[in-house]
Amino acid sequence: MSPPEIKLYQFPISHYCEKTRWNLDAKGIPFVIENLIPGPHRFVTKSLTKGGRGTVPVLVDRGTVVTDSTDIALHLERAHASAPALIPAEGPERERVLELEAYFDEMAGKHVRRWVYATLFASGADIKPLMFGAFPLPLRLVGMVLLPVIKQAIRRQYALTPDKVEESRVKMLEGLDRLEREIQGDPSRYLVGSSLSIADISAASLYSPLVAAEGSPYAVRPGEEVPKEIAEMRMAVLARPAGQWLLRRYREDRQRVARGFGTGLAAANG
């Protein structure tokens, strides 16, 4: 078997990277992963994008470099037409899928990220296992040394101020309201049509830090303590149809195609 021609550069903890891993897995596309340490990752991503975006995920597909999880999804539909489609080729359903994908990218992606990071930092919880547990020991040690700098950069980049964090709490709950309207309160329904699409993958992966679904990077490990505010939010979300929908997408769709926790075929650095 020839080695995969696709490499995903990522943070294991990033829910946007989880979205792209699920995207690739659902399409049955072999890939390998290069896990990056936040901060030093910019040397890699800037080099790949010739000085462009410093964010992850970055996908290198047979020499073509694609950044941003949405652009990666669109690229995969064009470049891998023989793989199962996650975006309809045309018509109202395509427009609907793309509109919902963009909506949940904003409401779940941006606002869940801000609220979760702020809550974790404020709780004083030990986040080293979550952030660096997927790395081999040498890189894990580098990450632990850099953690104070990484946290400072996250606070600045994601604007973890009290007013912004409260805004994000409200927005991510608005997104759950929208999700429940779209599925008409039925956790068995897909967002568009009768099968999984990139809209479902976006909503489920980007909200996954709130529900700690089994098979996600955020599943609670044995003995792990969950900060009180996150535990209370998790219970509130799971009591809703939206929370049950999120668990169901992971149970019925994510775990069916997963090849292990975010590993593709193999982790290039571990």
Side-chain angles (χ1 to χ4, degrees):
M1 179 178 176
S2 60
E5 298 178 302
I6 299 178
K7 181 178 281 191
L8 176 65
Y9 293 83
Q10 67 149 21
F11 299 153
I13 195 178
S14 164
H15 56 348
Y16 283 107
C17 293
E18 163 66 355
K19 172 186 166 186
T20 294
R21 291 191 299 264
W22 188 343
N23 189 171
L24 287 158
D25 282 342
K27 293 183 75 65
I29 298 172
F31 66 104
V32 293
I33 276 175
E34 183 80 21
N35 287 326
L36 303 176
I37 295 286
H41 79 281
R42 290 180 177 274
F43 294 109
V44 177
T45 56
K46 291 282 189 181
S47 174
L48 289 169
T49 60
K50 297 183 172 21
R53 293 174 66 100
T55 58
V56 291
V58 176
L59 189 78
V60 180
D61 182 357
R62 296 163 293 184
T64 298
V65 178
V66 191
T67 63
D68 183 82
S69 62
T70 298
D71 290 342
I72 289 171
L74 292 167
H75 163 81
L76 293 175
E77 294 299 317
R78 293 190 301 268
H80 298 269
S82 62
L86 296 172
I87 303 174
E90 58 185 12
E93 282 202 347
R94 177 182 176 85
E95 294 176 8
R96 188 73 173 143
V97 163
L98 292 176
E99 188 269 326
L100 287 169
E101 191 274 347
Y103 175 82
F104 287 111
D105 246 33
E106 173 75 11
M107 298 300 281
K110 173 182 174 182
H111 294 295
V112 168
R113 178 177 62 191
R114 178 184 285 151
W115 185 85
V116 169
Y117 270 127
T119 306
L120 282 173
F121 290 177
S123 73
D126 181 8
I127 64 171
K128 293 190 290 293
L130 180 62
M131 293 198 72
F132 307 120
F135 290 90
L137 183 58
L139 285 177
R140 200 180 313 151
L141 294 174
V142 171
M144 291 176 183
V145 169
L146 291 176
L147 184 57
V149 177
I150 292 169
K151 290 172 72 172
Q152 184 178 23
I154 288 172
R155 287 190 179 97
R156 182 176 62 253
Q157 183 176 351
Y158 300 149
L160 304 189
T161 60
D163 57 331
K164 288 292 186 181
V165 173
E166 175 58 19
E167 176 190 349
S168 285
R169 187 191 67 82
V170 171
K171 291 288 187 183
M172 69 186 192
L173 294 177
E174 284 180 12
L176 292 173
D177 292 341
R178 169 80 181 269
L179 175 58
E180 289 176 349
R181 291 196 299 273
E182 295 294 339
I183 63 172
Q184 298 178 27
D186 182 355
S188 70
R189 293 174 65 103
Y190 290 105
L191 286 169
V192 181
S194 59
S195 61
L196 186 76
S197 74
I198 196 65
D200 301 291
I201 290 174
S202 295
S205 58
L206 297 176
Y207 267 117
S208 59
L210 290 189
V211 297
E214 196 65 35
S216 79
Y218 321 101
V220 179
R221 300 159 182 80
E224 180 180 356
E225 291 188 15
V226 179
K228 181 172 182 262
E229 192 171 353
I230 289 180
E232 290 174 349
M233 175 66 76
R234 190 164 290 162
M235 289 179 61
V237 173
L238 290 175
R240 303 178 54 159
Q244 292 305 303
W245 182 90
L246 294 167
L247 291 183
R248 190 158 181 164
R249 295 287 67 78
Y250 262 87
R251 184 176 65 248
E252 296 183 1
D253 297 295
R254 181 64 176 122
Q255 294 187 40
R256 177 176 55 83
V257 298
R259 285 166 278 182
F261 156 52
T263 55
L265 292 183
N269 59 6

